[in-house]
Structure formats: structure tokens, C-alpha cells
Amino acid sequence: ECHDKYGKVFLLDRIEFADDDVRSENEERAQRIHKELRRAYTNLGYDVHEIPVMPVDTRATTIARKVAAEDLY
């Protein structure tokens, strides 16, 4: 199973919603997708690490530190 190899998942909190030409979902659907992703990963046995909204470089550093601290390589 996947979670035997990848025990942890990093789930990024949603940034402010912008209705644009790229998105196919509305705000309500985007919220529902995010909740379902969290639920699905949890139900599959993954350890879900939620990463809050912050600048991209800070998010990347936060994830890299968690990976290094928990020896996830």
C-alpha cells in the first residue's frame, strides 16, 4: 500500500480563493475538496501534517525541516 512507503502527507492550508479563468471549482467546492482530501488521507492511515498559509519559501522551509527532523527521506 502507498502509506507503507509514504507514511506522512503534507496538506497545505488553502490560500484566499480567487475566481479566475484557471479554476474550474467555486469556493464551496474548493472547501469541500480540501476537507475530503484531509479525510481520505486520514482514513487511509496517513499521518497528515497541515501546513498553514505563509509565503511559499517559508512553507517550503517548514516542510523541509519536518522531513529532516523526522528522517523522512
Side-chain angles (χ1 to χ4, degrees):
E1 291 186 29
C2 290
H3 67 276
D4 289 339
K5 185 174 181 182
Y6 304 107
K8 299 186 187 320
V9 170
F10 293 98
L11 184 62
L12 305 179
D13 280 348
R14 297 176 56 246
I15 60 172
E16 184 176 323
F17 187 83
D19 189 12
D20 56 29
D21 294 333
V22 177
R23 295 181 187 270
S24 61
E25 69 278 350
N26 61 22
E27 171 70 9
E28 181 182 328
R29 179 134 172 85
Q31 287 176 355
R32 195 166 60 243
I33 290 168
H34 189 78
K35 287 171 80 173
E36 289 298 320
L37 282 170
R38 183 186 305 113
R39 188 172 69 118
Y41 285 131
T42 300
N43 288 344
L44 288 169
Y46 289 98
D47 183 8
V48 179
H49 291 266
E50 297 199 37
I51 305 297
V53 174
M54 58 183 77
V56 172
D57 60 333
T58 306
R59 275 185 166 183
T61 300
T62 299
I63 292 169
R65 286 183 179 153
K66 286 183 178 283
V67 168
E70 298 183 32
D71 194 27
L72 300 178
Y73 290 107

